[in-house]
Amino acid sequence: MAPSEGTTDDAPPEERGRFAEVRRANRSETAEDYVEAIADLVAARGEARVKDLVETFGVSHVTVSRTVDRLMRDGLCVTEPYRSIELTPAGDAMAARSQARHLSVLRFLLALGVAPEVARLDAEGVEHHVSDVTVKAFDHFADARGVAAEIEEAPPDPERFRRVRESHAMETAEDYVEAIADLIGATGEARVVELARIFGVSHVTVSRTVGRLQTNGLVTTEPYRPIELTELGQRLAAESKRRHQIVLDFLLSLGIPSETAHLDAEGMEHHVSAATLACLAALTPGHP
């Protein structure tokens, strides 16, 4: 959910750094998914190769090779031409953390009553956007409802990662239309300069994003004129705000501190299915 126009450094803590935290989580997400997949492949087959990762993630050989190169530069894995990929101690540590976090999120979703196949899809994205404090609350929630501490995981499915990629593709559009709606509600208009301030990015980045939104029929604008939401954009903004509020209110109901809940809800809202959202609403006071 986008902060209102009045958000400044004097705003409440939960209104600061939300989009920066989501961007940080998105940057680390690929690395975490890859080291986890490499660890799983080594455990199951004794080795991990580029072709195995292509099959796991449902992407091209070139995409996997480039990602593995980045992991090597970051000290997370080692490999040589025509050799298997091995995790470094840092990669092993990251994989272990990612696997534990994934299990916690999956147990939580199952404790909500989400169907296992839906829970596995949602967990793949949610796990990267919740803090340690929230993960601990999820563990308590699952423990209280008797969900087993160990769950037999299904083999990695390209569908899970495809869903995450689709969610990311929508994430920017949803955040921008919310921000535009908030600005119009607060001041009567939305301009590039204000969106740049809210998201902490350059005017060029905002202009390019607004251009994509216009191409997708979500906004209208002209040079030196405010940005207006189309009817489609207004509907998307309203739905995004509704999703954000349900996730935020549920996290607060678990006793998660306000600042942490606001940060986690900002990323989590884009990765929960309609089924999971309905379960969260059903357990949250004030949501039918």
Side-chain angles (χ1 to χ4, degrees):
M1 179 178 179
S4 68
E5 190 278 339
T7 299
T8 69
D9 289 341
D10 296 325
E14 61 267 20
E15 292 293 346
R16 299 198 299 268
R18 289 156 55 184
F19 295 105
E21 179 62 22
V22 172
R23 289 196 300 273
R24 183 207 60 75
N26 288 343
R27 283 194 297 270
S28 65
E29 182 171 329
T30 299
E32 292 169 354
D33 281 341
Y34 267 70
V35 296
E36 191 174 350
I38 292 167
D40 288 342
L41 286 165
V42 170
R45 306 180 186 181
E47 65 176 15
R49 293 182 177 271
V50 167
K51 64 181 181 64
D52 300 319
L53 295 172
V54 168
E55 179 183 335
T56 296
F57 291 101
V59 295
S60 71
H61 191 284
V62 171
T63 297
V64 170
S65 295
R66 287 174 177 169
T67 303
V68 170
D69 284 344
R70 289 198 297 271
L71 297 181
M72 290 178 64
R73 289 196 299 271
D74 291 340
L76 297 171
C77 74
V78 293
T79 189
E80 296 178 6
Y82 311 109
R83 304 282 297 184
S84 59
I85 305 162
E86 297 181 3
L87 294 177
T88 63
D92 281 328
M94 176 182 282
R97 290 193 302 271
S98 295
Q99 288 166 338
R101 182 177 295 271
H102 180 85
L103 176 61
S104 293
V105 174
L106 179 57
R107 290 181 66 232
F108 161 70
L109 293 172
L110 293 173
L112 281 177
V114 179
E117 60 274 17
V118 177
R120 287 187 168 89
L121 287 172
D122 285 8
E124 201 60 59
V126 170
E127 67 177 283
H128 302 289
H129 293 277
V130 287
S131 63
D132 291 343
V133 171
T134 296
V135 169
K136 187 174 181 180
F138 285 178
D139 282 334
H140 288 322
F141 185 92
D143 290 343
R145 284 156 181 77
V147 177
E150 297 294 332
I151 298 174
E152 185 176 350
E153 257 286 40
D157 181 356
E159 171 63 17
R160 285 157 56 181
F161 300 105
R162 184 191 64 79
R163 246 281 304 275
V164 172
R165 291 194 297 272
E166 289 179 352
S167 297
H168 281 314
M170 283 298 299
E171 185 174 313
T172 299
E174 291 170 352
D175 283 341
Y176 267 70
V177 295
E178 283 184 73
I180 292 166
D182 284 346
L183 286 167
I184 292 172
T187 68
E189 65 177 25
R191 293 183 178 271
V192 167
V193 63
E194 290 300 326
L195 292 173
R197 180 180 62 80
I198 287 171
F199 290 101
V201 296
S202 70
H203 288 201
V204 172
T205 296
V206 171
S207 295
R208 288 174 178 168
T209 303
V210 170
R212 290 195 296 271
L213 297 181
Q214 192 163 13
T215 299
N216 293 330
L218 296 171
V219 304
T220 60
T221 189
E222 296 178 7
Y224 311 110
R225 300 289 296 175
I227 305 161
E228 300 286 346
L229 291 175
T230 63
E231 183 177 345
L232 180 62
Q234 290 172 0
R235 290 201 302 269
L236 180 60
E239 174 59 19
S240 296
K241 288 183 179 183
R242 184 184 74 88
R243 293 170 66 86
H244 179 89
Q245 198 62 50
I246 290 172
V247 173
L248 174 60
D249 288 348
F250 180 83
L251 295 179
L252 291 172
S253 76
L254 291 182
I256 295 169
S258 178
E259 182 176 1
T260 301
H262 277 79
L263 288 170
D264 288 1
E266 194 61 57
M268 184 176 166
E269 65 175 288
H270 301 290
H271 295 280
V272 290
S273 62
T276 296
L277 198 69
C279 290
L280 294 175
L283 293 173
T284 307
H287 291 283

Short mmCIF file of all heavy atoms in Angstrom, two decimals, residues 254-276:
data_model
loop_
_atom_site.label_atom_id
_atom_site.label_comp_id
_atom_site.label_asym_id
_atom_site.label_seq_id
_atom_site.Cartn_x
_atom_site.Cartn_y
_atom_site.Cartn_z
N LEU A 254 -1.53 -10.64 15.25
CA LEU A 254 -0.60 -11.62 15.80
C LEU A 254 0.31 -11.01 16.85
O LEU A 254 1.11 -11.72 17.47
CB LEU A 254 0.25 -12.22 14.68
CG LEU A 254 -0.43 -13.13 13.66
CD1 LEU A 254 0.61 -13.66 12.66
CD2 LEU A 254 -1.16 -14.27 14.32
N GLY A 255 0.21 -9.70 17.04
CA GLY A 255 1.05 -9.02 18.01
C GLY A 255 2.37 -8.53 17.44
O GLY A 255 3.28 -8.15 18.19
N ILE A 256 2.49 -8.52 16.11
CA ILE A 256 3.70 -8.04 15.46
C ILE A 256 3.75 -6.52 15.59
O ILE A 256 2.74 -5.84 15.35
CB ILE A 256 3.72 -8.46 13.98
CG1 ILE A 256 3.80 -10.00 13.91
CG2 ILE A 256 4.89 -7.83 13.23
CD1 ILE A 256 3.57 -10.56 12.53
N PRO A 257 4.88 -5.94 15.99
CA PRO A 257 4.97 -4.49 16.16
C PRO A 257 4.56 -3.75 14.89
O PRO A 257 4.79 -4.22 13.77
CB PRO A 257 6.46 -4.26 16.48
CG PRO A 257 6.90 -5.56 17.08
CD PRO A 257 6.13 -6.62 16.36
N SER A 258 3.99 -2.56 15.07
CA SER A 258 3.41 -1.82 13.96
C SER A 258 4.41 -1.57 12.83
O SER A 258 4.10 -1.79 11.65
CB SER A 258 2.86 -0.47 14.46
OG SER A 258 2.35 0.29 13.40
N GLU A 259 5.62 -1.11 13.15
CA GLU A 259 6.59 -0.80 12.11
C GLU A 259 6.92 -2.03 11.28
O GLU A 259 6.97 -1.99 10.05
CB GLU A 259 7.86 -0.20 12.71
CG GLU A 259 8.90 0.18 11.66
CD GLU A 259 10.12 0.85 12.27
OE1 GLU A 259 10.18 1.00 13.50
OE2 GLU A 259 11.02 1.22 11.50
N THR A 260 7.15 -3.16 11.96
CA THR A 260 7.47 -4.41 11.28
C THR A 260 6.29 -4.89 10.45
O THR A 260 6.47 -5.34 9.31
CB THR A 260 7.86 -5.49 12.30
OG1 THR A 260 8.98 -5.04 13.06
CG2 THR A 260 8.20 -6.79 11.62
N ALA A 261 5.09 -4.78 11.00
CA ALA A 261 3.89 -5.23 10.28
C ALA A 261 3.70 -4.44 8.99
O ALA A 261 3.36 -4.99 7.94
CB ALA A 261 2.66 -5.10 11.17
N HIS A 262 3.91 -3.12 9.05
CA HIS A 262 3.77 -2.30 7.85
C HIS A 262 4.81 -2.68 6.79
O HIS A 262 4.50 -2.77 5.61
CB HIS A 262 3.91 -0.81 8.20
CG HIS A 262 2.65 -0.19 8.71
ND1 HIS A 262 2.22 -0.35 10.00
CD2 HIS A 262 1.72 0.58 8.08
CE1 HIS A 262 1.08 0.32 10.15
NE2 HIS A 262 0.76 0.88 9.00
N LEU A 263 6.06 -2.90 7.21
CA LEU A 263 7.10 -3.28 6.27
C LEU A 263 6.81 -4.63 5.62
O LEU A 263 6.91 -4.79 4.40
CB LEU A 263 8.45 -3.34 6.99
CG LEU A 263 9.09 -2.01 7.38
CD1 LEU A 263 10.29 -2.25 8.29
CD2 LEU A 263 9.51 -1.22 6.15
N ASP A 264 6.41 -5.61 6.43
CA ASP A 264 6.17 -6.95 5.90
C ASP A 264 4.93 -7.00 5.02
O ASP A 264 4.91 -7.69 4.00
CB ASP A 264 6.03 -7.94 7.05
CG ASP A 264 7.36 -8.23 7.74
OD1 ASP A 264 8.38 -7.63 7.33
OD2 ASP A 264 7.38 -9.04 8.68
N ALA A 265 3.89 -6.26 5.40
CA ALA A 265 2.66 -6.26 4.61
C ALA A 265 2.90 -5.71 3.22
O ALA A 265 2.27 -6.13 2.25
CB ALA A 265 1.57 -5.46 5.32
N GLU A 266 3.84 -4.75 3.10
CA GLU A 266 4.10 -4.11 1.81
C GLU A 266 4.55 -5.12 0.76
O GLU A 266 4.16 -5.02 -0.41
CB GLU A 266 5.15 -3.02 1.98
CG GLU A 266 5.27 -2.09 0.80
CD GLU A 266 3.97 -1.34 0.54
OE1 GLU A 266 3.48 -0.66 1.45
OE2 GLU A 266 3.45 -1.48 -0.58
N GLY A 267 5.35 -6.11 1.17
CA GLY A 267 5.78 -7.11 0.20
C GLY A 267 4.86 -8.32 0.16
O GLY A 267 4.57 -8.86 -0.90
N MET A 268 4.38 -8.72 1.33
CA MET A 268 3.57 -9.94 1.42
C MET A 268 2.27 -9.82 0.64
O MET A 268 1.79 -10.80 0.06
CB MET A 268 3.28 -10.22 2.90
CG MET A 268 2.53 -11.49 3.17
SD MET A 268 2.37 -11.75 4.97
CE MET A 268 1.12 -13.05 4.99
N GLU A 269 1.68 -8.62 0.59
CA GLU A 269 0.38 -8.45 -0.05
C GLU A 269 0.37 -8.88 -1.52
O GLU A 269 -0.66 -9.26 -2.05
CB GLU A 269 -0.07 -6.99 0.04
CG GLU A 269 0.81 -6.02 -0.74
CD GLU A 269 0.26 -4.59 -0.73
OE1 GLU A 269 -0.75 -4.36 -1.39
OE2 GLU A 269 0.87 -3.74 -0.06
N HIS A 270 1.53 -8.81 -2.17
CA HIS A 270 1.59 -9.13 -3.60
C HIS A 270 1.74 -10.62 -3.87
O HIS A 270 1.69 -11.05 -5.02
CB HIS A 270 2.76 -8.39 -4.24
CG HIS A 270 2.69 -6.90 -4.10
ND1 HIS A 270 1.76 -6.13 -4.75
CD2 HIS A 270 3.43 -6.05 -3.35
CE1 HIS A 270 1.94 -4.86 -4.42
NE2 HIS A 270 2.93 -4.78 -3.58
N HIS A 271 1.93 -11.41 -2.82
CA HIS A 271 2.26 -12.82 -3.01
C HIS A 271 1.27 -13.77 -2.33
O HIS A 271 1.56 -14.96 -2.21
CB HIS A 271 3.67 -13.09 -2.50
CG HIS A 271 4.72 -12.38 -3.30
ND1 HIS A 271 5.19 -12.84 -4.51
CD2 HIS A 271 5.36 -11.20 -3.08
CE1 HIS A 271 6.09 -11.99 -4.98
NE2 HIS A 271 6.21 -10.99 -4.13
N VAL A 272 0.13 -13.26 -1.90
CA VAL A 272 -0.89 -14.13 -1.32
C VAL A 272 -2.03 -14.28 -2.32
O VAL A 272 -2.47 -13.31 -2.93
CB VAL A 272 -1.41 -13.62 0.03
CG1 VAL A 272 -0.34 -13.77 1.10
CG2 VAL A 272 -1.88 -12.17 -0.04
N SER A 273 -2.49 -15.50 -2.48
CA SER A 273 -3.59 -15.78 -3.40
C SER A 273 -4.91 -15.32 -2.81
O SER A 273 -5.00 -14.97 -1.62
CB SER A 273 -3.65 -17.28 -3.66
OG SER A 273 -3.91 -17.97 -2.44
N ALA A 274 -5.95 -15.35 -3.63
CA ALA A 274 -7.29 -15.00 -3.14
C ALA A 274 -7.72 -15.94 -2.03
O ALA A 274 -8.37 -15.52 -1.07
CB ALA A 274 -8.28 -15.04 -4.31
N ALA A 275 -7.34 -17.22 -2.14
CA ALA A 275 -7.72 -18.19 -1.11
C ALA A 275 -7.06 -17.87 0.23
O ALA A 275 -7.69 -17.90 1.28
CB ALA A 275 -7.33 -19.60 -1.56
N THR A 276 -5.76 -17.53 0.18
CA THR A 276 -5.05 -17.17 1.42
C THR A 276 -5.59 -15.87 1.98
O THR A 276 -5.76 -15.73 3.20
CB THR A 276 -3.54 -17.06 1.15
OG1 THR A 276 -3.04 -18.34 0.76
CG2 THR A 276 -2.79 -16.57 2.38
#
